[in-house]
Amino acid sequence: MQKKIPMRTCIGCGTIKPKKELVRIVLTQDGKVIADRTGRAGGRGAYLCDDPACLEKALKRKSFARAFHMQIGPEACDRLKAEIGGDNAG
Ligand SMILES: [Zn+2]
């Protein structure tokens, strides 16, 4: 029997990748948007490549608004920018 790898679509670039290669972005019950690297946070989720370019695309395309059925604020944008790729490198 073949092992099934769960696949998810990046809301930035639209690429379908194995779930574990993507970062889960969660809108928590109290309205916070966080990068959930444990995959355990409750709430509405969306998936993104661990790449700042995809985050930019998602923000430009308002993919988060579509995924979460609400606009995300500048605070949430900043938090995601700090969490996805970029700031940890170098
Ligand atoms: Zn992507």
Side-chain angles (χ1 to χ4, degrees), residues 45-82:
Y47 289 85
L48 197 70
C49 303
D50 195 1
D51 183 341
C54 285
L55 176 59
E56 285 295 331
K57 277 184 208 161
L59 292 173
K60 268 191 200 139
R61 291 165 58 179
K62 306 214 186 303
S63 301
F64 287 109
R66 225 177 352 239
F68 297 147
H69 300 274
M70 60 167 256
Q71 296 282 347
I72 66 168
E75 212 178 283
C77 292
D78 287 348
R79 193 179 308 122
L80 290 179
K81 280 177 189 165

Side-chain angles (χ1 to χ4, degrees), residues 10 12-15 49 54:
C10 167
C13 62
T15 304
C49 303
C54 285

